[in-house]
Amino acid sequence: MKSRTAAAKVLAQVLGKGRSLGGILAPVLAQLRKDGERALAQEMCYGVLRWYPRLAALVERLLSKPLKERDADVRSLLLLGLYQVIYMRVPDHAAVTETVAAARDLGKPWAGGLVNAVLRNYLRDSAHLLEEVDQNEVAALAHPAWLLELFKNAWPHAWQAIVTANNQRPPMVLRVNARHRARDAYLRILEDAGIAACPAPHVSHGVILEQPTDVERLPGFDEGWVSVQDSAAQLAAQLLDVQPGQRVLDACAAPGGKAAHILESQAGIELTALDSDAARLKRVDGNLRRLQLQARLIEGDAAQPAAWWDGVMYDRILLDAPCSATGVIRRHPDIKILRRPDDIAALAELQGRMLQVLWPLLKPGGMFLYATCSILPQENEQQITRFLTAQTDACEKAIDASWGNPRGAGRQILPGENGMDGFYYACLQKL
Ligand SMILES: C[S@@+](CC[C@H](N)C(=O)[O-])C[C@H]1O[C@@H](n2cnc3c(N)ncnc32)[C@H](O)[C@@H]1O
């Protein structure tokens, strides 16, 4: 199998079957033999999903009749053919020839002629076709209409910057394991290895790579010297301010990025990492093993503590709640396609329930950190304001910081601000 065939198969699963890119990409890439083929397939999968609304509008404009559902792979070839000629530096003739060849690899030689005709028709009249589809905001901005509406309502002055940031490639950010060495020492190791990098602002252990790279190329990755984690996510451990001897609950812990950072930052603590998804909890285990860190892992529902709580209160609780992930679209462009408008109210309801039932598990004087990678007020400040109004033994501990924006309650980072992912944090203190 070659890169375009692999990418078409992956994209057909995401677009046709609603599968998440993160869940299906790795095993397909593993079937490609060369590094270059894997990198190309990955770039095409992410790129097509990033620009899907615009590419889909072009495909619709260029096809005389829609393809059948069972030919989602052929439609994916058309999308990735257009992606190559619009957004990549692949020469036009190579993009057309290789994409036509991929139709044969998919076992659909009849589609070769169609792919050839659609791509050549586009190339003959590209400026005019792009101008035509870009009349529509959904295509031009490559976001679904309902999401644009939510962004405009929530961020009337910033929504365009949000959309632009969502369509950009994110930086690769590392977290240096403080148990092994300081950030400056690791930066010198990277320099010796010929990997250009600089310190990430606002976080103590963050390093921004000039170019993304395979983790296998990172010095000491297998030995646990370093992990991949955006700067915005690295703020959680800083804000939680865990002290020696404390009992900490990470209520939605998988894959374990923040739990590991908390453990790296403070020795001699007792951390419980809870998650309802057994497969994702295995990833916490794998990550902690690589980093040589220990925690108590529990598979359980954060909204039903009676089933797993041992009755001893926690000094710190982190609720990194399941959310719309609207702050991390640049990293997970399939969110634009897989998320549905109804999801937002359902997620807000679940987050509210989790807050309510986890609060009694916190010791008086303890701190509760609520976090989401959402930029929607329904999941963030509205949630926390409602909670603070109802909960008489809770007060907000204002976050005094130079990153993000203060909101009615908590602090919001918008995507791309300070180079970070979109994230929301609120610190709640128990009286
Ligand atoms: C935003 S992710 C957490 C990321 C994690 N804190 C990290 O830094 O790596 C949200 C997690 O919540 C988990 N989750 C969803 N519903 C849950 C529930 N009812 N109880 C516990 N965990 C849940 C999901 O499986 C997912 O792993």
Side-chain angles (χ1 to χ4, degrees):
M1 191 162 56
K2 293 174 87 175
S3 55
R4 289 168 182 81
T5 320
K9 286 185 174 181
V10 170
L11 287 167
Q13 290 280 312
V14 177
L15 299 169
K17 304 251 183 307
R19 304 281 306 275
S20 92
L21 181 61
I24 57 171
L25 184 62
V28 179
L29 290 187
Q31 293 172 41
L32 299 175
R33 261 178 267 133
K34 294 187 191 143
D35 285 352
E37 288 277 308
R38 280 194 290 274
L40 180 59
Q42 176 162 323
E43 163 63 20
M44 286 188 291
C45 288
Y46 275 89
V48 166
L49 296 171
R50 188 166 288 133
W51 291 103
Y52 177 72
R54 192 173 192 228
L55 297 169
L58 280 171
V59 166
E60 202 173 303
R61 172 72 184 69
L62 286 158
L63 280 177
S64 51
K65 60 176 185 194
L67 286 162
K68 298 194 175 80
E69 216 169 280
R70 65 167 183 262
D71 293 323
D73 50 357
V74 175
R75 183 165 176 273
S76 298
L77 274 187
L78 297 176
L79 293 164
L80 65 86
L82 289 169
Y83 177 71
Q84 292 164 76
V85 295
I86 302 172
Y87 297 103
M88 289 179 75
R89 270 175 288 175
V90 181
D92 292 348
H93 62 89
V96 176
T97 315
E98 292 295 324
T99 310
V100 168
R104 279 194 301 276
D105 283 353
L106 284 173
K108 297 191 173 174
W110 59 266
L114 176 77
V115 171
N116 187 51
V118 165
L119 295 182
R120 289 197 188 282
N121 284 343
Y122 170 77
L123 289 168
R124 251 194 300 278
D125 199 15
S126 58
H128 172 242
L129 284 164
L130 284 175
E131 196 186 315
E132 205 179 297
V133 299
D134 284 347
Q135 301 290 318
N136 181 335
E137 192 177 57
V138 168
L141 303 177
H143 277 64
W146 69 272
L147 212 46
L148 287 176
E149 199 57 34
L150 284 179
F151 290 167
K152 284 179 189 177
N153 283 336
W155 304 101
H157 302 296
W159 71 270
Q160 279 152 314
I162 292 170
V163 164
T164 304
N166 287 350
N167 288 339
Q168 279 166 5
R169 291 186 179 86
M172 183 166 174
V173 186
L174 308 179
R175 183 189 76 239
V176 178
N177 183 348
R179 297 252 185 128
H180 279 277
R181 53 175 57 73
R183 167 166 71 180
D184 284 351
Y186 192 72
L187 278 165
R188 282 194 293 276
I189 293 175
L190 283 177
E191 195 181 350
D192 290 345
I195 298 175
C198 64
H202 308 289
V203 287
S204 326
H205 309 120
V207 163
I208 304 175
L209 298 186
E210 205 171 281
Q211 292 292 332
T213 183
D214 279 345
V215 288
E216 288 80 42
R217 276 199 67 218
L218 296 172
F221 181 81
D222 288 339
E223 292 78 31
W225 297 359
V226 75
S227 301
V228 178
Q229 187 179 44
D230 189 77
S231 310
Q234 295 187 37
L235 292 167
Q238 271 174 223
L239 290 168
L240 210 54
D241 187 30
V242 176
Q243 301 300 315
Q246 287 190 331
R247 237 173 99 81
V248 183
L249 171 67
D250 183 349
C252 291
K258 297 182 190 71
H261 192 196
I262 294 164
L263 290 163
E264 286 168 8
S265 312
Q266 190 59 264
I269 63 169
E270 200 186 308
L271 186 134
T272 299
L274 178 86
D275 205 280
S276 57
D277 184 325
R280 284 174 65 85
L281 204 59
K282 278 210 182 96
R283 292 178 59 198
V284 181
D285 186 48
N287 281 326
L288 294 184
R289 274 174 201 273
R290 182 180 63 82
L291 295 160
Q292 292 149 39
L293 299 166
Q294 270 101 40
R296 186 165 165 237
L297 305 193
I298 302 181
E299 182 191 335
D301 181 352
Q304 302 202 33
W308 49 264
W309 186 39
D310 61 9
V312 185
M313 287 173 153
Y314 298 97
D315 300 281
R316 297 281 186 272
I317 296 179
L318 168 62
L319 173 56
D320 187 14
C323 72
S324 61
T326 39
V328 291
I329 289 176
R330 61 182 193 160
R331 292 198 189 278
H332 304 285
D334 50 343
I335 290 168
K336 293 179 189 183
I337 294 145
L338 302 179
R339 224 2 114 225
R340 295 280 168 258
D342 293 351
D343 295 347
I344 310 302
L347 284 162
E349 199 273 326
L350 175 64
Q351 294 152 357
R353 207 151 24 96
M354 286 182 171
L355 256 169
Q356 231 170 34
V357 300
L358 290 173
W359 184 253
L361 278 55
L362 184 69
K363 277 185 195 165
M367 202 225 283
F368 192 116
L369 180 63
Y370 177 81
T372 71
C373 56
S374 162
I375 58 165
L376 301 176
Q378 297 91 314
E379 300 178 87
N380 296 339
E381 66 253 35
Q382 287 174 15
Q383 189 76 263
I384 296 301
T385 305
R386 199 170 35 246
F387 176 78
L388 287 169
T389 311
Q391 201 71 45
T392 50
D393 61 349
C395 72
E396 188 189 0
K397 180 173 180 278
I399 300 173
D400 181 19
S402 50
W403 47 262
N405 314 278
R407 305 298 297 164
R411 219 170 163 89
Q412 178 78 60
I413 308 162
L414 295 177
E417 265 185 353
N418 308 112
M420 294 179 179
D421 284 348
F423 244 87
Y424 173 82
Y425 285 109
C427 290
L428 308 170
Q429 198 104 44
K430 195 164 199 174
L431 302 174

